[in-house]
Amino acid sequence: MQGKCVVVTGASMGIGEELSVALAARGANLVLAARSEEALQRVKQRCEAAGGKAVAVATDVGDPEACRRMVEQAVESFGGVDVLVNNAGISMDAKFEDITDLGIFERLMRINYLGAVYCTHAALPHLKARRGLLVAISSLTGKTGVPTRTGYAASKHAMHGFFDSLRVELMGTGVDVTVVCPGFVSTNVRANALGKDGKPLQVSAHDESEGNNMDVATCVAIILRAMDRREREVVMTPKGKVGQYLKLFTPGLLDRIVFKTIQDRRR
């Protein structure tokens, strides 16, 4: 990653923040994108302290024009784009029948799916010029349905379909596509998840104690290894890997396991 331009969306917290700092420590030039200018400046300082260069670009990935401007800033700052990490996203935690604000579904699609589409469309010519890498931070929920995550799962399934299709289109161009599927990671994403009324819950409804979640440093290390190897897809957890086989051969059993897992995690 030495000297390469890496764009990271959703860089203001969680996986995006820690991945950006880790890339900076490898000598990458970071373009940090998220909505909060204040939070981005904090991450920018961390990246520079780690030894990399960084620019912060306040960006709403749900706005295609904002995504275009962000990529333009990346090219202006570092001459091109080598890697785009589509990490920006929001979650939800509510049973479908309890939802009172159906706008949740549009918002999830706009940020989690269309945000990745808009950023990728803007960056693709530059990635092709440098035979670069597209990274999509998805979720195990993008592989199988999860209760209380109907809209989130739909957006991540859409993300998977888009990048799987794009990967085939890009064969022979030198641009590779890596889709990453974490499980439960120790970040504040679930505390910021949208509730049934469309507002952030602020407090996670799940047991986030150590042992229930993967720590963010481990998650980032797996992502970095996948980027180095330009892997096609990464399913992070042993349960997630087993789940892929269960979905093929005993999908009903997988449904019951997922249901029990979510029930057991609720406070």
Side-chain angles (χ1 to χ4, degrees):
M1 292 297 167
Q2 182 71 41
K4 292 187 177 181
C5 174
V6 184
V7 177
V8 180
T9 68
S12 61
M13 65 178 69
I15 293 172
E17 176 177 355
E18 298 307 322
L19 178 61
S20 297
V21 174
L23 287 165
R26 292 181 167 207
N29 299 322
L30 275 301
V31 179
L32 309 171
R35 288 177 296 173
S36 171
E37 176 70 32
E38 181 180 357
L40 286 177
Q41 290 300 326
R42 176 181 54 77
V43 179
K44 178 177 183 292
Q45 291 176 3
R46 289 190 65 197
C47 288
E48 291 172 342
K53 298 178 181 178
V55 295
V57 187
T59 308
D60 178 358
V61 297
D63 177 354
E65 183 61 21
C67 296
R68 185 189 64 79
R69 290 195 301 268
M70 181 268 292
V71 171
E72 284 184 350
Q73 181 64 56
V75 175
E76 181 180 331
S77 298
F78 299 118
V81 178
D82 294 285
V83 183
L84 169 62
V85 181
N86 289 289
N87 171 71
I90 54 175
S91 187
M92 67 173 289
D93 190 357
K95 291 179 65 176
F96 179 69
E97 64 182 348
D98 295 335
I99 290 173
T100 56
D101 179 8
L102 289 173
I104 290 172
F105 291 87
E106 181 180 351
R107 186 175 176 191
L108 287 162
M109 278 292 185
R110 190 172 68 250
I111 302 302
N112 296 354
Y113 167 55
L114 290 176
V117 171
Y118 298 151
C119 290
T120 299
H121 189 266
L124 189 55
H126 307 288
L127 290 166
K128 290 177 73 174
R130 294 193 173 189
R131 302 176 71 84
L133 177 65
L134 276 164
V135 181
I137 307 299
S138 182
S139 167
L140 291 179
T141 312
K143 305 286 284 182
T144 190
V146 175
T148 74
R149 305 291 197 280
T150 48
Y152 181 72
S155 67
K156 292 299 186 179
H157 274 67
M159 190 187 210
H160 269 252
F162 171 75
F163 281 106
D164 283 348
S165 299
L166 185 60
R167 182 188 293 110
V168 180
E169 287 188 11
L170 293 173
M171 289 178 67
T173 67
V175 178
D176 291 315
V177 176
T178 298
V179 178
V180 181
C181 306
F184 293 106
V185 181
S186 294
T187 69
N188 57 358
V189 65
R190 280 171 296 282
N192 292 328
L194 303 180
K196 62 183 181 180
D197 58 358
K199 297 177 182 178
L201 292 171
Q202 298 184 325
V203 177
S204 175
H206 298 265
D207 181 0
E208 306 290 356
S209 59
E210 186 177 350
N212 275 346
N213 298 336
M214 176 183 288
D215 66 90
V216 70
T218 299
C219 177
V220 166
I222 294 171
I223 295 171
L224 288 172
R225 184 176 61 195
M227 292 171 66
D228 288 341
R229 298 176 178 178
R230 299 171 80 99
E231 295 182 23
R232 184 182 189 278
E233 184 176 276
V234 179
V235 176
M236 285 197 178
T237 68
K239 285 184 179 180
K241 293 173 183 177
V242 171
Q244 304 316 297
Y245 291 98
L246 293 179
K247 187 172 183 178
L248 287 173
F249 300 109
T250 57
L253 174 60
L254 178 61
D255 288 346
R256 292 192 292 274
I257 291 172
V258 171
F259 177 81
K260 186 176 187 305
T261 297
I262 296 300
Q263 289 294 106
D264 289 347
R265 286 181 58 89
R266 297 196 77 83
R267 294 182 188 277

